[in-house]
Amino acid sequence: MRSEPRVIVSLDFPTADEASLLVSMLDPVACRLKVGKELFTRCGPSIIEKFTGQGFDVFLDLKFHDIPNTVARACQAAAKLGVWMLDVHACGGRQMLEMAREALDKQSHQPLLIAVTVLTSMDEADMNEVGVPGTVSDQVLRLTSLARQCALDGVVCSAREVGMIRHAMGSEFKLVTPGIRPVDSTADDQRRISTPVQAIEAGSDYLVIGRPVTQASDPLKVLESINSEIESIEEAI
Ligand code: C5P
């Protein structure tokens, strides 16, 4: 029996038409969708309503980071839009995370609330330069632990961090992993990639996959092949 879709297709498109064309080739049973800053800034809430109306679960990836009241209200607005998952920056601090949680707890529709820890575009030198001493892994673990204390549902993390976080946070905490490449596809500009099977085996719950699906001549076929790889190891786990 097929489990819930683990793949979240990243809709990195500049226009609603391009995103909608790709989505028309997909199936809500096979994947979820991620709408990020570019598409949302161009198209607004209507694009979310369109895809949820077509039966897709949508991850609204706007990485909120602001004063607690502003973030709480933005989370409330996202819940009212019917998104399945949304994210905030853990470095916004305890009060911001707690208020985001409380705001969602009051909603009739409650999306998963996920934290971003250290962006994978930053290395130790970048992090130290903005005043955070120590290593990236220490900071990732510190912020993940803060997110968990504030009752967030999980974190976005690189495939490289999945094993360490799964071990430290237990099985209920959701791990969302970008930088995924099927064995036969190119890395594009991703530097630390992992295959779908490697990421799931390490403990990832959801895989964010963009170009290997969005640039394929038959996106649904690529998805089906990723899903059958995942299903074969789910049976073994
Ligand atoms: O096309 P590709 O599979 O590389 O797309 C990955 C998606 O995940 C993009 O939307 C990218 O911005 C996002 N992402 C990432 N690495 C992170 C966080 C988000 O690649 N650490």
Side-chain angles (χ1 to χ4, degrees), residues 115-181:
V116 174
T117 60
V118 180
L119 293 169
T120 47
S121 52
M122 296 188 83
D123 62 16
E124 188 173 309
D126 297 317
M127 206 183 75
N128 297 162
E129 191 179 28
V130 294
V132 180
T135 67
V136 170
S137 336
D138 284 349
Q139 179 68 354
V140 167
L141 272 183
R142 180 182 295 119
L143 290 176
T144 300
S145 163
L146 176 64
R148 190 155 177 262
Q149 287 166 32
C150 298
L152 267 70
D153 298 298
V155 290
V156 179
C157 60
S158 77
R160 187 177 279 200
E161 296 157 352
V162 168
M164 158 184 95
I165 296 177
R166 175 60 71 215
H167 181 71
M169 300 294 145
S171 60
E172 294 306 307
F173 202 64
K174 305 286 184 211
L175 304 185
V176 180
T177 314
I180 302 294
R181 288 293 176 270

Side-chain angles (χ1 to χ4, degrees), residues 10 12 34 63 120 156 178-181 190 208-212:
S10 187
D12 298 313
K34 176 169 95 69
K63 299 186 180 69
T120 47
V156 179
I180 302 294
R181 288 293 176 270
Q190 295 281 11
V208 175
I209 307 183
R211 287 160 290 182

